[in-house]
Amino acid sequence: MFLILIGLILIFFVTLFIITSIIHKKQFAYDTHQDYNYPSLPSTAHATLKGGSLTLPATISGQDTVIAKIRIKSTWAGLLILPFVETISSKGKWKQYFEYGAKGVRYINLSDTFSDNDKTIRLEGKYLSLPDQEIELSVYPRENLDGKKILVLAPHADDAELGAYGLYEKHAANSMICTLTASEGGSFHYGNLYSTCDFDTQAQYLQKGRMRVWNSLAVPLLAGVPSENILQLGYFDSTLTAMRQNPEKEIKSTKIDTTDVDIFRSANTSPLAKHLKPGSTWNSLVDNLGYLIETFQPDIIVTPSPNIDTHPDHQHTALAAIEALRKIDYRRGNLFLHTIHYLSDDFPIGKVGSSLSLPPPSEQPFYFQSIYSHPLDKEEQNRKLLALDAMNDIRPNSDGYMRWNTMIFKGLNKLRHHVLHLDKDLVNRFVRSNEFFYTVPISDLYQEETLKQITYQGKAQ
């Protein structure tokens, strides 16, 4: 009887292990055993990983962006617990997470984990194995941005902060933050404050838009950005695609019965707002971006990548910026492209404070010339976290104004993420030890074949 009981217990745990492993692997939209392959990355240098230790070549600077191509293999425990590589050096420790059951080639971000005086690094696999191997290193000399002007284009309130708060905080005096839409759309979490009649439905979305406009104008002040360099264009949420399809037509809000962008634009205090062209049209958006670029003369323009960010407003923010640049024949500087809503909704993996690197590759076009990894220390991560907490749409909501069914849904979703160790909320995903940008020289926009690649709109997987 005792042996039968032991056998049943073993069968139960083996079955549980198999089911959990299958569920974990099903979380990903791609085969976690496939190699990550980015043939466009240069093989700049090599290093030997032996016994978990490697020494980087003397030619690599501690200021460079360094991406290591490495082969990993998840252990059986890595089917249950999210595996990661811990990078250890005299400068500190960093974690980079991988998929459950990950196997094959991956790219580890070694940027800012070593100094010019000590280039020895230990790589320790947790719930995965790291065999001794020759490692290819892609090295990108990091541009010194001190004194450079940075224009951050945000499709919605919070996108500038999610993608580039650390970058623009460090260079706050020379940064401009421009949010394109009032972000009045999407879900509404304040149902207890309003009735469900049509009038109140419009009123609540108007108030949501005003609140998020205020977020977009106030939060950059926390970073020290001058108020005259913070602008809200007031276009309507989820309308940029329709605007581009009908460039001369006024497109009204999907939530409020109006085409008047001034209901949100009037909150601006920057003198630049006085010269914005009116109208909720694509042509006015392109002209207004052109006006800001000509006035501010940025060296860096930060915007989502249309190749790998699938949100339509994010893609069209980049497309509008590119059209504006070409219209005014602006050729100097670089685009710093990033992604908030990647092609598959399982990137980036990991927890607050871990490292960002290259995402799982896709067969779709993805154009960039270089990579810029911007480091954030613990204090900078904390300030970014607090900046995001000031954004009403992504901060934790309280039961004082949220309907019970919304609370239950959010609670169950949070429990699911906790059990699966996949934190899919935006705060966990983007408060990391670095911000990751794919750089493109603006001059590349004037090569027609290259332009087609840069402006390709990625499709969700």
Side-chain angles (χ1 to χ4, degrees):
M1 186 67 183
F2 177 74
L3 291 176
I4 293 174
L5 181 61
I6 294 296
L8 290 173
I9 292 173
L10 285 174
I11 291 171
F12 171 77
F13 279 107
V14 169
T15 303
L16 183 63
F17 172 79
I18 293 172
I19 292 173
T20 304
S21 301
I22 293 172
I23 291 173
H24 279 174
K25 292 192 71 175
K26 289 292 185 181
Q27 293 297 308
F28 301 98
Y30 53 92
D31 181 6
T32 59
H33 285 182
Q34 72 179 8
D35 289 343
Y36 283 23
N37 186 26
Y38 283 89
S40 62
L41 262 62
S43 180
T44 313
H46 291 79
T48 301
L49 178 66
K50 188 171 184 179
S53 180
L54 77 157
T55 300
L56 300 178
T59 53
I60 296 177
S61 165
Q63 300 303 310
D64 292 338
T65 292
V66 182
I67 308 297
K69 184 178 181 180
I70 193 166
R71 187 168 292 278
I72 66 170
K73 183 179 181 181
S74 170
T75 63
W76 67 267
L79 295 169
L80 301 176
I81 305 171
L82 206 61
F84 62 90
V85 169
E86 188 167 43
T87 302
I88 305 170
S89 74
S90 57
K91 289 186 67 176
K93 296 181 179 181
W94 296 262
K95 293 179 181 179
Q96 185 171 325
Y97 287 85
F98 301 96
E99 309 94 335
Y100 291 108
K103 179 183 178 182
V105 170
R106 297 293 186 271
Y107 291 90
I108 294 179
N109 189 351
L110 299 181
S111 312
D112 303 291
T113 64
F114 60 94
S115 66
D116 288 332
N117 297 325
D118 186 1
K119 297 181 181 179
T120 299
I121 295 173
R122 280 200 60 79
L123 298 179
E124 296 186 358
K126 305 294 184 180
Y127 315 113
L128 58 80
S129 62
L130 286 171
D132 292 350
Q133 57 190 288
E134 284 292 309
I135 295 176
E136 288 185 20
L137 301 171
S138 297
V139 182
Y140 299 94
R142 186 179 291 156
E143 180 181 0
N144 184 357
L145 301 186
D146 291 343
K148 299 290 181 71
K149 289 186 174 182
I150 300 174
L151 171 61
V152 182
L153 298 179
H156 313 100
D158 68 39
D159 287 323
E161 288 67 37
L162 288 165
Y165 185 82
L167 179 72
Y168 83 65
E169 182 193 50
K170 183 173 182 179
H171 304 282
N174 294 313
S175 290
M176 173 181 283
I177 314 302
C178 175
T179 306
L180 273 64
T181 75
S183 314
E184 81 285 2
S187 57
F188 194 84
H189 304 311
Y190 309 94
N192 283 347
L193 303 183
Y194 294 86
S195 72
T196 56
C197 70
D198 183 63
F199 175 80
D200 256 15
T201 298
Q202 292 208 36
Q204 68 185 27
Y205 283 107
L206 176 61
Q207 185 60 25
K208 179 181 180 180
R210 287 172 173 164
M211 186 168 59
R212 296 200 73 193
V213 165
W214 180 84
N215 289 157
S216 69
L217 295 173
V219 170
L221 295 173
L222 292 173
V225 178
S227 59
E228 61 269 23
N229 284 358
I230 306 171
L231 208 63
Q232 167 63 248
L233 299 188
Y235 295 99
F236 303 118
D237 186 42
S238 301
T239 62
L240 300 190
T241 301
M243 287 166 58
R244 185 168 180 248
Q245 291 170 346
N246 303 275
E248 296 181 0
K249 182 181 178 181
E250 297 255 4
I251 303 297
K252 73 176 184 178
S253 167
T254 61
K255 299 295 185 181
I256 307 167
D257 188 19
T258 185
T259 60
D260 183 11
V261 294
D262 283 338
I263 63 173
F264 296 124
R265 196 177 282 181
S266 60
N268 283 304
T269 60
S270 171
L272 294 170
K274 297 177 182 178
H275 304 287
L276 293 175
K277 286 192 174 182
S280 57
T281 70
W282 180 260
N283 288 344
S284 77
L285 170 59
V286 170
D287 287 343
N288 284 328
L289 290 179
Y291 155 66
L292 293 176
I293 292 167
E294 283 191 312
T295 303
F296 188 61
Q297 293 286 304
D299 301 289
I300 305 294
I301 299 178
V302 180
T303 184
S305 166
N307 294 167
I308 59 169
D309 193 315
T310 60
H311 193 298
D313 280 351
H314 290 221
Q315 293 178 333
H316 284 80
T317 294
L319 296 178
I322 290 169
E323 189 171 328
L325 287 164
R326 285 169 57 87
K327 187 172 183 178
I328 64 174
D329 197 30
Y330 195 91
R331 295 173 181 258
R332 68 182 184 85
N334 292 290
L335 298 177
F336 271 37
L337 305 175
H338 63 93
T339 178
I340 304 296
H341 303 280
Y342 185 63
L343 301 171
S344 57
D345 188 34
D346 36 39
F347 175 84
I349 303 167
K351 301 179 183 298
V352 166
S354 57
S355 301
L356 291 178
S357 188
L358 288 160
S362 166
E363 294 181 358
Q364 302 180 56
F366 180 22
Y367 183 87
F368 62 92
Q369 287 283 12
S370 182
I371 295 173
Y372 187 98
S373 180
H374 177 77
L376 281 76
D377 63 27
K378 180 59 177 172
E379 285 301 312
E380 290 167 331
Q381 291 173 46
N382 288 345
R383 292 198 296 272
K384 179 171 182 173
L385 182 62
L386 292 173
L388 292 173
D389 189 60
M391 290 288 179
N392 291 75
D393 212 48
I394 58 175
R395 71 184 304 186
N397 289 286
S398 77
D399 58 6
Y401 50 76
M402 193 163 50
R403 287 200 181 104
W404 66 269
N405 55 338
T406 304
M407 289 175 59
I408 291 175
F409 172 78
K410 282 181 170 287
L412 291 174
N413 207 35
K414 190 70 177 176
L415 177 63
R416 178 173 66 91
H417 293 167
H418 179 74
V419 170
L420 296 175
H421 302 285
L422 290 176
D423 292 311
K424 291 196 174 185
D425 65 278
L426 292 172
V427 174
N428 276 293
R429 284 188 164 194
F430 291 100
V431 178
R432 300 299 181 97
S433 62
N434 65 302
E435 292 167 342
F436 208 75
F437 303 99
Y438 307 91
T439 73
V440 173
I442 291 175
S443 58
D444 282 9
L445 302 178
Y446 296 87
Q447 303 168 22
E448 292 304 319
E449 285 303 313
T450 302
L451 179 66
K452 290 179 182 178
Q453 296 179 61
I454 297 170
T455 56
Y456 175 83
Q457 294 173 249
K459 310 295 190 299
Q461 295 178 339

